[in-house]
Amino acid sequence: MKEITTNRIVVVGAGMGALYAALKLAPRPVLMISPEVLGLGASSAWAQGGVAAAMDEGDSPVSHARDTIAAGAGTVDPKVATLVTKEARDYILDLTEMGTPFDRTESGDYVMSREAAHSFARVVRVKGDRAGAEIMAALIETVRETSSIQVLEGTMAVDLDTSDGRVTGIAIQESDESRSAPVMIRGSAYLLAGGGSGGLYALTTNPPRIRGQVIGMAARAGAVIADAEFVQFHPTAIDVGEDPAPLATEALRGEGAVLIDKNGHRFMPDVHPDAELAPRDVVARAIYAQTQAGNRPMLDTRQALGDEVATLFPALAEACARNGIDPAKEPVPVAAAAHYHMGGIATDTNGRATLENLWVCGEASSTGLHGANRLASNGLLEALVYARICAENIERTLDGGTEIDFVNVMFDGAGDAPNEAAVMELRQTMTNNVGVLRDKVGLETAIQKIADLRDANSQSPSFLNMCATATMIAVCAWQRQESRGAHERADYPDTLPGAGKRSKVTLADALKVQDQIRKANQ
């Protein structure tokens, strides 16, 4: 394999965490690995609700942390919740200085929405439901102007190289369908910020490339993975047959939109005292139950927003218009879709993974903030906080100056792209068997099917990464014999008493369980 050595810090990903970390590392030289042109295909750009932060005088970081811990169903690390929420305001101000056009009142205050399980309106938004896209635009413009950051667009990471438990290189290849032979990049340090795994599911709100590859890549190199079984399903993906499914932001329910069935019955007050603003896992299961019962759940914005829905929530309006729906006059069909992975590569409070010289931020990480059920709009906040933490910690470990070398990567040869039919079969397996409602039979079916798909398509490292992440999600879900947060077992409906316990696993551990299940079911 061709090798290139550089003094640059290699950052995998091009979402909010990756961009913010690269800026915080300046003037240290950074090499960003971006599968597409900056701003395209990153989960951060698709985020609608906003950034959670206690900006109002009546609110506080203590209250924000308390809500985070409560939503996490017993597995949130309280120290991490305190760490992240106490600095949230500073990040909003920093993004404002970078040019993010947060919505403001006539008096200049930030406009804030209330989302599920928040005790206060503390979600700072941009143009209603365009927070992710607008924050990303501001960050991208700043990155483009920063001479220490080199971006390799159209490239993706497929393997980590290690020596004695230390990351020493990252193999990359072209990300288009033709794929090239991999090239090994050997940098000074490595930061993974390449997103989560929602795209491993056939019904998802995630961009097409976000299919657990970064988590799986680290797992294949030996990194510990935490909370793998906890996948959050967004209650209100717009159910119009698009892949990925467009998202109807939770902020709509914060503004008074309600959930109804095909007969016009509002069903959430029958399920939870907070009705539409109950925790996401509760609402997702209620939506799923309505779908399974053939009741066609829908989001009704007519009375709460009327014609204003188009100007206040343009992303919703655009998605509806594409599909011949007028949300001002008719309810919008919705379904529960894989949205956010609370699990990921286990990190400490410095953002370090269990492999040396490797840091992780954003959805690819598992910091302990989200527990079993992420509090709405804490995802972008965590990405920002840990991007800076990782940048500062990397800085402390490096010697030398800030001289900049240009990395010239010449790809050649042929690589192995994932078989699209196999990818679709994997995604359908995850939706059918490792989805909103799980049980032993379905999970064992998935675990065996993932192994069969992996064995039949082992030539593609990208597909192996997907299968690694899928295996750990399914195995950890099989091992957790209780229902907790977003993890719901039909055969174990109760939550175990006492404090919740986080799961931590290596791929080697998960593969042993997978082999045992395959043998037992032969």
Side-chain angles (χ1 to χ4, degrees), residues 407-481:
V407 178
N408 184 22
V409 180
M410 300 294 292
F411 290 106
D412 52 35
D416 292 301
N419 179 287
E420 285 305 313
V423 171
M424 194 62 240
E425 193 169 359
L426 174 64
R427 297 177 66 204
Q428 198 62 59
T429 296
M430 294 296 286
T431 286
N432 291 346
N433 301 291
V434 200
V436 176
L437 190 62
R438 304 161 173 179
D439 61 33
K440 179 177 183 290
V441 173
L443 291 169
E444 290 185 355
T445 298
I447 290 166
Q448 294 178 85
K449 185 62 179 178
I450 295 165
D452 292 342
L453 289 168
R454 178 200 65 211
D455 294 346
N457 298 274
S458 59
Q459 74 283 358
S460 168
S462 183
F463 188 69
L464 290 178
N465 291 335
M466 295 181 207
C467 288
T469 302
T471 297
M472 289 181 294
I473 294 171
V475 165
C476 289
W478 180 83
Q479 290 179 319
R480 186 174 288 276
Q481 296 181 349

Side-chain angles (χ1 to χ4, degrees), residues 170-421:
I170 289 183
I172 66 172
Q173 63 179 180
E174 291 178 304
S175 57
D176 61 19
E177 291 184 0
S178 62
R179 301 290 171 96
S180 60
V183 173
M184 183 64 68
I185 304 293
R186 300 201 183 277
S188 58
Y190 306 88
L191 171 62
L192 302 183
S197 60
L200 281 174
Y201 289 78
L203 183 54
T204 180
T205 63
N206 280 207
R209 291 195 189 276
I210 308 300
R211 292 178 177 163
Q213 297 98 319
V214 170
I215 296 169
M217 179 176 69
R220 289 175 59 223
V224 171
I225 307 302
D227 300 333
E229 67 271 36
F230 294 124
V231 177
Q232 187 170 72
F233 296 86
H234 199 290
T236 51
I238 303 175
D239 188 15
V240 287
E242 291 188 15
D243 180 22
L247 183 66
T249 175
E250 206 158 77
L252 286 155
R253 284 174 277 140
E255 294 296 320
V258 297
L259 292 166
I260 61 174
D261 63 19
K262 65 182 182 182
N263 299 313
H265 172 66
R266 184 184 174 195
F267 55 85
M268 279 310 300
D270 302 331
V271 177
H272 193 278
D274 291 335
E276 282 80 9
L277 293 179
R280 277 189 178 175
D281 62 308
V282 175
V283 184
R285 284 193 291 274
I287 292 282
Y288 180 77
Q290 292 287 328
T291 300
Q292 293 300 103
N295 289 333
R296 189 61 163 163
M298 295 175 284
L299 181 71
D300 190 351
T301 69
R302 292 173 294 181
Q303 184 172 345
L305 293 164
D307 291 336
E308 287 187 312
V309 68
T311 53
L312 294 176
F313 296 95
L316 172 80
E318 290 168 12
C320 287
R322 287 197 306 271
N323 292 281
I325 299 169
D326 183 353
K329 297 179 180 179
E330 56 190 314
V332 180
V334 293
H339 181 62
Y340 190 94
H341 196 177
M342 278 78 73
I345 305 161
T347 65
D348 62 15
T349 51
N350 289 317
R352 286 176 175 264
T354 54
L355 296 174
E356 290 186 36
N357 206 29
L358 182 68
W359 289 259
V360 195
C361 69
E363 196 175 345
S365 69
S366 181
T367 65
L369 176 68
H370 303 308
N373 192 38
R374 178 181 67 119
L375 183 66
S377 292
N378 266 357
L380 296 183
L381 173 62
E382 181 198 42
L384 294 166
V385 172
Y386 271 89
R388 190 186 74 179
I389 287 173
C390 287
E392 291 174 348
N393 197 254
I394 291 170
E395 173 70 29
R396 288 194 291 269
T397 68
L398 296 179
D399 298 322
T402 57
E403 354 18 88
I404 296 175
D405 64 350
F406 180 78
V407 178
N408 184 22
V409 180
M410 300 294 292
F411 290 106
D412 52 35
D416 292 301
N419 179 287
E420 285 305 313

